[in-house]
Amino acid sequence: ASASSAPFSSSSPSKPSSPAAMVKVEAPPSLQGLYLGYFGDFSMSPPLEKDGSPKIYKTASPHSENGCLGLGENASLTPSTPSAEELATVPDAETSLALVRRGTCSFVDKAYNMQETLHFGGVMVIGSEEDLMVMGGPQGDDPLSVAEKKRQASLRTPAVYIQKALGDKILEWNAAHPTDPVRVSLQPYNPSNSFW
């Protein structure tokens, strides 16, 4: 199945109703809880299950820790080719959220690479500090920004920024339990559906 159809039902993805995201760790019990995150301003809402409940994703780490796949901070319009290791298939990627660290390339490029190249169902960007932020997209009209805007326009998956402490805990658990990764669900924050 292609990444464009696998994570979603027949309805088209839409923007989240709020930039704030409720990140619910469903399993393992030692990490269960609700955590605050922020959807990128280019993010789509996470899909729902047929019964209307939030989709539960497995978490996984691509071989490219930062999700840049050959893109550097000063990426040209024709980025370098990703290594074979960076392109290695992650099992069940279409039903997983990629965990990538902040830095090196833009947030849009991270989301695009995880969706289009590695076919993940979404991305969680781990912050470099404990502050949260809304991930922004390209702003200028220079050739690099125009190329990035084209990539942004093709995004159909959720992209959420999370705190470093949560991201590190998920990565640590997944490294110790490779066959039993952390599972999370995502929802736009809404006071009427919040447990806070």
Side-chain angles (χ1 to χ4, degrees), residues 171-182:
L171 290 173
E172 183 179 313
W173 173 272
N174 288 355
H177 306 88
T179 60
D180 186 26
V182 172

Side-chain angles (χ1 to χ4, degrees), residues 1-9 11 13 94 115-116 119-120 154 156-157:
S2 72
S4 62
S5 60
F8 296 102
S9 64
S11 63
E94 292 176 345
Q115 173 188 291
E116 293 297 323
H119 309 295
F120 276 93
S154 70
R156 304 171 302 282
T157 54

Side-chain angles (χ1 to χ4, degrees), residues 22-26 34 46 53-57 97 124 183-187:
M22 293 189 322
V23 179
K24 184 178 183 184
V25 175
E26 307 277 351
L34 285 172
S53 63
K55 177 179 180 65
I56 297 175
Y57 293 93
L97 289 177
M124 287 198 308
R183 286 168 171 71
V184 301
S185 62
L186 305 172
Q187 278 186 277

Side-chain angles (χ1 to χ4, degrees), residues 30-116:
S30 62
L31 294 180
Q32 280 180 337
L34 285 172
Y35 301 87
L36 181 63
Y38 279 100
F39 290 107
D41 65 10
F42 50 84
S43 177
M44 292 295 151
S45 289
L48 299 175
E49 298 292 354
K50 289 182 181 178
D51 66 1
S53 63
K55 177 179 180 65
I56 297 175
Y57 293 93
K58 291 184 278 180
T59 56
S61 299
H63 295 283
S64 172
E65 179 180 270
N66 59 23
C68 294
L69 303 183
L71 294 171
E73 276 184 57
N74 299 312
S76 66
L77 294 176
T78 23
S80 61
T81 304
S83 69
E85 181 181 56
E86 286 181 315
L87 293 175
T89 304
V90 174
D92 303 318
E94 292 176 345
T95 58
S96 299
L97 289 177
L99 289 164
V100 299
R101 293 197 180 275
R102 181 179 182 183
T104 306
C105 64
S106 74
F107 295 122
V108 166
D109 284 334
K110 291 175 191 298
Y112 180 85
N113 289 336
M114 295 304 101
Q115 173 188 291
E116 293 297 323

Side-chain angles (χ1 to χ4, degrees), residues 100-150:
V100 299
R101 293 197 180 275
R102 181 179 182 183
T104 306
C105 64
S106 74
F107 295 122
V108 166
D109 284 334
K110 291 175 191 298
Y112 180 85
N113 289 336
M114 295 304 101
Q115 173 188 291
E116 293 297 323
T117 306
L118 298 182
H119 309 295
F120 276 93
V123 63
M124 287 198 308
V125 177
I126 301 168
S128 54
E129 299 175 5
E130 295 310 312
D131 293 340
L132 288 170
M133 60 184 264
V134 174
M135 298 177 288
Q139 302 296 318
D141 289 326
D142 58 280
L144 190 58
S145 293
V146 169
E148 190 174 347
K149 286 176 185 177
K150 288 179 183 175

